[in-house]
Amino acid sequence: MLSEPRSGRLAAWGNALLAGLVSPDDAVLSIVGEDAVHRVAGLPGESAPVGLTLALGRLRALGVGGLRVALPAPGHPLGLSGPPEFNTRALEAEEAVVCCGAALGLVPEVSEAGPDGDVHVEVVWHCLSAREAPTADVPSLGEAERELAEALREATEVLTRLDVAGAGPVAEAAIEAYRARALSSRGREVLAPGYPPRAVRVLELAQRVGVLVSLAEGAGHGGAVSASEISARAGALRPVERTARRALVAAYNSVVEERGVG
């Protein structure tokens, strides 16, 4: 999830649309990505789920001027400010979007359908009441860039210390595979138009750190085989993962912070 959360795509391209920098069709195409379809349920004034184009237009009419990302985890409700129902749903999904200018938030529910070999992903964004507040524990882009450089070194050291076979080549291959998927699905766009270059750098570095964290967490071979060693691995990676999540939020929310929305 760290590499490219759906809430990040929705916020980034939704912000570009709200700023008049992209067309509704381009925004929706980029938000949906490789998924089959996205719909929004619970939107004020709508009795049934609606498509993203209508939903984004309705949010603008309701006074929404920007979208912020929340990437909460147990013990670290990053980007959440209530109420409890919204926080609970967001924690279960590990992501959400908070609207600036309206007391609303969006939480994704992801499902798969279709036979083996032809599975497609459908996403329903649940529109819920949400409180808007300044996002705590989020660094500036400059701070995030410096913290990520250190986190990248720490993640690489953890992989090496855990004796993950071929950590260097495996890590590089995983990063290149992610980069190839991103380029094939969205051209060369890392963030939507309107974002500062430093936000792009921070996002790319946070994604790189996220790939390394995923490699270390998922490695079933190497040195960490006992329960105590697995626990030690998790403890070593926790601050690295938190740094990456904070940086992702900083990157996705930077354009809203710069514009002073909300």
Side-chain angles (χ1 to χ4, degrees):
M1 190 278 293
L2 269 177
S3 60
E4 189 182 29
R6 288 180 173 86
S7 57
R9 293 207 307 262
L10 176 58
W13 289 92
N15 283 327
L17 176 62
L18 291 169
L21 299 175
V22 296
S23 69
D25 287 346
D26 286 344
V28 169
L29 185 64
S30 296
I31 293 168
V32 172
E34 296 181 354
D35 298 334
V37 64
H38 284 218
R39 293 187 296 273
V40 179
L43 195 67
E46 298 293 338
S47 59
V50 300
L52 274 179
T53 302
L54 175 58
L56 290 169
R58 179 62 54 82
L59 289 174
R60 187 206 297 268
L62 290 170
V64 174
L67 301 171
R68 285 192 176 99
V69 170
L71 295 178
H76 190 211
L78 183 62
L80 300 180
S81 57
E85 180 187 2
F86 180 72
N87 287 3
T88 299
R89 295 285 290 269
L91 276 166
E92 290 174 352
E94 298 185 343
E95 60 177 314
V97 171
V98 179
C99 298
C100 304
L104 298 171
L106 301 163
V107 179
E109 179 183 0
V110 182
S111 61
E112 295 183 349
D116 291 342
D118 190 26
V119 175
H120 61 275
V121 176
E122 299 180 356
V123 180
V124 175
W125 293 89
H126 294 277
C127 187
L128 305 166
S129 296
R131 285 196 294 267
E132 183 186 354
T135 307
D137 195 32
V138 176
S140 68
L141 289 176
E143 292 169 337
E145 199 167 17
R146 290 191 294 272
E147 291 175 2
L148 282 169
E150 178 62 27
L152 185 61
R153 287 192 292 271
E154 291 177 7
T156 303
E157 289 172 3
V158 169
L159 283 171
T160 303
R161 188 166 64 248
L162 293 174
D163 192 27
V164 176
V170 170
E172 289 302 321
I175 292 167
E176 288 304 318
Y178 169 78
R179 185 174 293 129
R181 289 197 305 272
L183 291 177
S184 66
S185 63
R186 294 186 294 131
R188 299 195 64 83
E189 294 280 10
V190 177
L191 274 171
Y195 278 84
R198 176 166 260 176
V200 175
R201 294 199 303 271
V202 167
L203 181 64
E204 289 180 319
L205 189 53
Q207 290 169 344
R208 184 182 179 90
V209 171
V211 169
L212 291 176
V213 169
S214 297
L215 280 171
E217 288 179 336
H221 55 283
V225 292
S226 69
S228 61
E229 287 169 330
I230 291 173
S231 177
R233 170 195 291 175
L237 290 172
R238 193 171 297 116
V240 176
E241 186 271 345
R242 178 176 291 210
T243 296
R245 278 192 298 112
R246 292 171 68 242
L248 283 174
V249 172
Y252 284 121
N253 294 359
S254 60
V255 70
V256 174
E257 307 301 340
E258 283 192 352
R259 287 160 46 198
V261 179

